[in-house]
Amino acid sequence: MILRSVLFCSFLTFLSSGCKDAAPQIKDGELTWLTIDQLEKIKDLGGKKVLIDVYTDWCGWCKVMDKKTFTDPGLIDFLNKNFLVVKFNAEQKEPVKFKGVEYVWQPMGRNGINNLGIELLQGNMGYPSLVFLDSGLKTIKVSPGYKTPGQLMEELKTL
């Protein structure tokens, strides 16, 4: 009986490991933030657009957006239905792959920068910045600066 249970659990683990290329399971009432690496592994975005929140650890307005904007229930519901949301620390030192290209950190500015940050923000390095991509991962728009829930919702509806 124990062996049967162990085999069954192993089988379930095996089956679930085959689902890594699927979009994440969205939970009601919260955003499911992905990393760039997780986004890279998703083969089918299900027609959803992508919002990338480009931030740094020292950015005060980035923290305010996390606490006040990205916790708004109406905004969460809209984003969960229409977008995959990604957090990216522009000063990340670990290399990251995006669209098959590896991006590395380089010393410059305050704490250095990951070259993906430069590409995503098209060289305009300000934080917070939101990058909107279509379901083919092509840039729709780069939107710098702090946004209230209402401001962000209005912007999202125009995309």
Side-chain angles (χ1 to χ4, degrees), residues 78 83 130 132 141-145 147 149-159:
F78 186 85
F83 287 82
L130 303 176
F132 301 101
K141 179 180 183 179
V142 177
S143 181
K147 313 267 186 301
Q151 289 170 328
L152 181 53
M153 183 65 81
E154 287 304 312
E155 189 167 16
L156 291 170
K157 288 179 180 178
T158 66
L159 300 175

Side-chain angles (χ1 to χ4, degrees), residues 91-109:
E91 297 175 340
Q92 173 179 319
K93 289 189 176 182
E94 299 80 21
V96 63
K97 255 189 160 175
F98 183 62
K99 297 197 281 189
V101 176
E102 183 173 84
Y103 295 88
V104 297
W105 178 88
Q106 65 177 346
M108 69 179 283

Side-chain angles (χ1 to χ4, degrees), residues 29 61 71 143:
W61 286 109
T71 58
S143 181

Side-chain angles (χ1 to χ4, degrees), residues 59-70 146-147:
C59 170
W61 286 109
C62 299
K63 291 174 174 63
V64 174
M65 276 191 75
D66 283 341
K67 288 181 182 171
K68 294 190 176 185
T69 303
F70 293 125
Y146 171 79
K147 313 267 186 301

Side-chain angles (χ1 to χ4, degrees), residues 8-91:
F8 182 70
C9 288
S10 297
F11 178 69
L12 289 177
T13 302
F14 171 75
L15 284 179
S16 67
S17 69
C19 299
K20 290 184 180 169
D21 293 339
Q25 294 299 312
I26 304 297
K27 296 178 188 172
D28 283 342
E30 61 185 67
L31 291 173
T32 303
W33 290 102
L34 303 172
T35 65
I36 291 289
D37 291 329
Q38 290 170 321
L39 178 64
E40 181 76 1
K41 292 177 184 173
I42 298 173
K43 302 300 181 209
D44 180 7
L45 302 184
K48 288 187 175 187
K49 294 178 179 120
V50 177
L51 176 153
I52 301 177
D53 177 22
V54 183
Y55 72 97
T56 63
D57 290 334
W58 51 264
C59 170
W61 286 109
C62 299
K63 291 174 174 63
V64 174
M65 276 191 75
D66 283 341
K67 288 181 182 171
K68 294 190 176 185
T69 303
F70 293 125
T71 58
D72 180 80
L75 187 62
I76 289 170
D77 184 54
F78 186 85
L79 285 170
N80 281 340
K81 287 179 183 168
N82 301 289
F83 287 82
L84 294 176
V85 291
V86 177
K87 284 262 187 209
F88 179 68
N89 183 344
E91 297 175 340

Side-chain angles (χ1 to χ4, degrees), residues 98-99 101 103 114-123 139:
F98 183 62
K99 297 197 281 189
V101 176
Y103 295 88
N114 188 294
N115 286 330
L116 179 57
I118 296 170
E119 183 167 316
L120 288 172
L121 300 182
Q122 301 169 349
T139 302

